[in-house]
Amino acid sequence: MSRSRLSTTAAGGAREALHRLGHGTLEPQEFLSEVSAVVRRTVPHDVSGWMTLDPDTLLSTGTLVTEKSHELDRALWRNEVLQDGEVHKLAELAHRRSPVVALSDLDDATAANSPRVQQILRPAGIGEGLRAVLRTGGSTWGHGAIYRELGAPDFDPDERTFLATISEDIGEGLRRSLARRPVPGDAAVLVPGVVAFDAHTRLVSATAEARRLMALMPGDATSTLYAVAIGAGLRDRAAARVRLSDGRWLLAQGGRMHGAPNEHLGVTVTLVQAPRADLTSLLLRLHTLSARQREVAELLLSGPRTDEIAARLHISHHTLHDHIKAIFAKLGVQGRAELMALVAD
């Protein structure tokens, strides 16, 4: 039996480094960039990709491409969204007990019939790969993948265990970073913009306002919008909520254009400041509110008096008061007005 390439000392040091990063003040993309560097030092690999995800749609909200071409990134998104029956999809990984899967887990027949493996990864010179979902508190906030070139050794069990062990730590650090409130300032109003993709999902035009918003999007903005456009092309509509570099939230909403029968007109992606209805649930989950606390918070935001909320939820005033106290503590607000201001921000 061969010895593991990963020492206990190296694994422990990496976990300590990731813990410090997760409790720091880095922006999400900066955090993922540092995470990528720590993982690369600990588990050597040739290509990687890290991204934030919308926990509801599992579409990219900020892609950090590391030694991975834009063409490969887009091919993987086409496969992720469009290829029915593909293995190791994000929707499957988000609900698996283990956050990490390996290409080497696939039997020969499954690997031979996987378009991702045979048509994308192998032609790109990729042999082995690990995919990890970055989740905490029941929500998936990101995804990471590391690959080795064809002919390189597979990731050994200790390396896979290490990545699985740190995935939740990374997910928690990512959640903390995404939950950070924007710094008060004189930021300009987010003017809506539109980006157009043709029938082959090629970005063909964008309004000046859209270009300004794309400049505020983290990571590879075109890749993020591409994922939304691919989703809209398949399902008529798709959306992702994106945290901008200044801490505000943007809603990227794709819609398929329709013309004469059998005429393929492409997709538009509209960029607007995220409406409160689209943002409330996300922000409450980012601040680790339980399902019941989210229910109470949403009622607080919608305006009923506390006695009406207690009656609607069939709980005592005392129990409601405890819920409200916990909600305000988690969100760092002093009352209902500040709660509403938090969502408005």
Side-chain angles (χ1 to χ4, degrees):
M1 181 180 296
S2 61
R3 294 180 59 188
S4 170
R5 294 178 292 272
L6 177 61
S7 71
T8 302
T9 301
R15 289 205 66 180
E16 290 179 9
L18 291 170
H19 180 79
R20 289 194 299 271
L21 289 171
H23 287 77
T25 59
L26 295 176
E27 287 295 300
Q29 288 292 301
E30 296 172 325
F31 172 70
L32 288 181
S33 180
E34 293 294 329
V35 165
S36 177
V38 171
V39 173
R40 177 176 291 279
R41 290 195 299 269
T42 312
V43 182
H45 54 271
D46 301 299
V47 178
S48 66
W50 299 84
M51 67 188 68
T52 52
L53 297 173
D54 184 308
D56 292 324
T57 65
L58 296 180
L59 292 175
S60 170
T61 60
T63 302
L64 173 70
V65 177
T66 308
E67 295 88 34
K68 183 170 69 172
S69 71
H70 296 296
E71 292 75 16
L72 176 59
D73 182 64
R74 283 149 182 71
L76 288 170
W77 269 116
R78 287 195 298 274
N79 176 271
E80 182 70 38
V81 176
L82 301 178
Q83 190 67 56
D84 291 335
E86 183 59 279
V87 296
H88 296 172
K89 281 198 169 188
L90 290 174
E92 172 201 349
L93 302 187
H95 299 288
R96 285 174 60 106
R97 182 174 182 179
S98 172
V100 173
V101 291
L103 285 177
S104 59
D105 289 339
L106 302 176
D107 59 56
D108 291 342
T110 302
N113 289 303
S114 166
R116 179 185 289 135
V117 174
Q118 300 302 330
Q119 298 173 21
I120 301 175
L121 297 179
R122 294 295 183 260
I126 292 172
E128 170 64 317
L130 299 179
R131 298 190 83 190
V133 285
L134 311 176
R135 62 194 182 198
T136 187
S139 295
T140 298
W141 302 109
H143 164 251
I146 60 176
Y147 301 101
R148 284 179 177 157
E149 62 184 16
L150 280 169
D154 288 347
F155 294 101
D156 68 36
D158 285 346
E159 291 172 325
R160 293 169 56 177
T161 298
F162 168 76
L163 189 60
T165 300
I166 64 173
S167 291
E168 187 168 348
D169 294 337
I170 300 172
E172 174 61 18
L174 194 56
R175 180 201 67 77
R176 288 172 176 270
S177 185
L178 289 166
R180 196 166 297 116
R181 296 183 68 174
V183 177
D186 298 324
V189 173
L190 297 183
V191 179
V194 179
V195 180
F197 292 81
D198 66 15
H200 301 287
T201 328
R202 294 176 298 209
L203 195 159
V204 293
S205 63
T207 63
E209 292 80 9
R211 292 291 183 187
R212 283 191 282 271
L213 292 172
M214 290 173 67
L216 293 172
M217 293 172 64
D220 182 356
T222 304
S223 177
T224 297
L225 299 184
Y226 181 85
V228 173
I230 285 287
L234 175 67
R235 299 185 290 269
D236 277 344
R237 298 177 68 83
R241 293 156 295 188
V242 179
R243 186 182 185 277
L244 300 178
S245 58
D246 62 10
R248 292 179 295 175
W249 287 86
L250 182 79
L251 176 66
Q253 187 163 287
R256 186 167 61 184
M257 295 182 285
H258 295 273
N262 301 319
E263 184 177 3
H264 301 289
L265 297 179
V267 169
T268 59
V269 179
T270 304
L271 307 178
V272 298
Q273 186 159 345
R276 195 177 86 175
D278 290 282
L279 198 53
T280 299
S281 174
L282 178 71
L283 289 178
L284 298 182
R285 287 158 68 185
L286 273 171
H287 287 83
T288 69
L289 270 67
S290 67
R292 176 60 108 181
Q293 289 168 352
R294 293 198 300 270
E295 189 176 17
V296 171
E298 289 175 355
L299 287 170
L300 288 171
L301 288 165
S302 63
R305 301 191 309 271
T306 53
D307 57 338
E308 294 173 336
I309 294 174
R312 188 178 303 185
L313 298 179
H314 306 291
I315 59 178
S316 69
H317 289 280
H318 177 74
T319 299
L320 177 62
H321 175 75
D322 287 343
H323 283 315
I324 293 174
K325 184 178 178 181
I327 290 166
F328 290 170
K330 286 184 176 181
L331 294 172
V333 299
Q334 299 298 316
R336 190 183 296 207
E338 286 191 26
L339 174 62
M340 298 183 73
L342 171 64
V343 176
D345 284 342

